[in-house]
Amino acid sequence: APVVSVRGLRHSYGRGPDAVTALGPLSLEIPAGEFLVLVGPSGCGKSTLLRLIAGFEHAAEGAVEVFGERPEPGGRAGIVFQQPRLFPWRTVGDNIGLALAYAGVPRSERPERVAGLLDRVGLAGTAGRRVWQISGGQQQRVAIARALAGGKRLLLLDEPFAALDALTRERLQEDLRTMSAETGTTAVFVTHSVDEAVFLGSRAIVLTNRPGTVALDLPIGLPRT
Ligand code: ADP
Ligand code: ADP
């Protein structure tokens, strides 16, 4: 079964004459282990699609299923935004530990789980550091670790590296590609950058904001499944 299934999806904001069509009609399936990138001009609905998959919004028309269920916030997808959105004066370990607590992981198991997650994002040994003391790139690594906390098998990323300098961005791209391939994590990654899309993606969906045009669905790179 696909990890994400989108059928006849249309979404708009507002009602009646003021309604803004944000997305659709769109149908797609994302199989386990795929690294799907969403590209397209500003306003074409990339963030909207991510929010629908995350369960922050529910579809105006059509259906979205994640692991066969209607998505809900705090459900089976982990999400990473352009800004890390961590608690800056708390430790790296606390920030991830909170997500583990939310996922129902018992307190006694959390330190080991935190260490394992930090290892996966290349930050082994940093659990005791305060978030404000680490760099922006490291903070975004913590945000990825937090999104994976609780055994999340689906990662949603909304331009997560757009605010980073070029060198840091390249390192994070490389490490995310390795980590997701090694662990078989399914990913949906929004980006404005064609370079980034081609480097990371196993498939790309190009959305448009012209009424009546359909989304382009392109296999890129090697399929991972
Ligand atoms: P993208 O991420 O591709 O830039 P968005 O998903 O943010 O696109 O937006 C798609 C369309 O929906 C745009 O026309 C945008 O103005 C509109 N939109 C997005 N969020 C809202 C909102 N909360 N209320 C009203 N319109 C919105
Ligand atoms: P709530 O508990 O928020 O009232 P409901 O389960 O009653 O939610 O559904 C609210 C709306 O969402 C209904 O119109 C329903 O058809 C629609 N809906 C249900 N399942 C899905 C799904 N998987 N994807 C998108 N929309 C759905």
Side-chain angles (χ1 to χ4, degrees):
V3 171
V4 177
S5 151
V6 169
R7 291 186 304 274
L9 176 65
R10 253 179 227 271
H11 197 63
S12 48
Y13 294 99
R15 283 173 196 278
D18 295 330
V20 178
T21 299
L23 180 67
L26 182 70
S27 296
L28 66 101
E29 290 195 342
I30 307 175
E34 184 163 76
F35 201 115
L36 182 71
V37 292
L38 297 177
V39 292
S42 244
C44 69
K46 302 182 296 294
S47 295
T48 297
L49 179 55
L50 224 57
R51 285 203 297 273
L52 287 159
I53 296 171
F56 299 156
E57 316 250 356
H58 287 301
E61 208 180 296
V64 177
E65 283 180 359
V66 174
F67 294 104
E69 291 170 6
R70 186 181 182 194
E72 294 295 340
R76 303 204 41 198
I79 188 156
V80 182
F81 303 94
Q82 188 169 329
Q83 299 300 327
R85 303 191 188 189
L86 304 167
F87 295 105
W89 54 90
R90 301 194 70 165
T91 65
V92 166
D94 280 351
N95 271 274
I96 298 171
L98 283 168
L100 290 169
Y102 187 77
V105 175
R107 184 179 296 274
S108 60
E109 292 173 22
R110 285 179 218 156
E112 201 185 322
R113 296 279 289 270
V114 165
L117 285 160
L118 286 175
D119 194 42
R120 265 163 79 183
V121 297
L123 283 182
T126 64
R129 303 200 62 189
R130 305 266 162 195
V131 165
W132 64 265
Q133 293 177 307
I134 65 175
S135 70
Q138 289 173 322
Q139 290 184 19
Q140 204 54 312
R141 289 174 187 269
V142 176
I144 294 171
R146 178 183 58 184
L148 292 166
K152 299 279 165 70
R153 311 285 300 147
L154 171 63
L155 209 46
L156 308 176
L157 307 108
D158 198 346
E159 303 198 49
F161 307 146
L164 303 173
D165 66 85
L167 185 60
T168 304
R169 183 162 60 237
E170 261 176 50
R171 290 189 176 141
L172 268 101
Q173 286 166 352
E174 276 167 19
D175 289 355
L176 176 65
R177 183 165 84 163
T178 305
M179 186 278 287
S180 61
E182 281 175 2
T183 59
T185 305
T186 309
V188 186
F189 189 104
V190 169
T191 182
H192 268 102
S193 157
V194 173
D195 270 359
E196 187 167 65
V198 171
F199 181 77
L200 287 170
S202 53
R203 178 178 160 208
I205 302 278
V206 184
L207 299 172
T208 77
N209 46 22
R210 288 160 58 199
T213 54
V214 289
L216 291 169
D217 194 337
L218 309 167
I220 53 173
L222 290 171
R224 296 211 323 206
T225 50

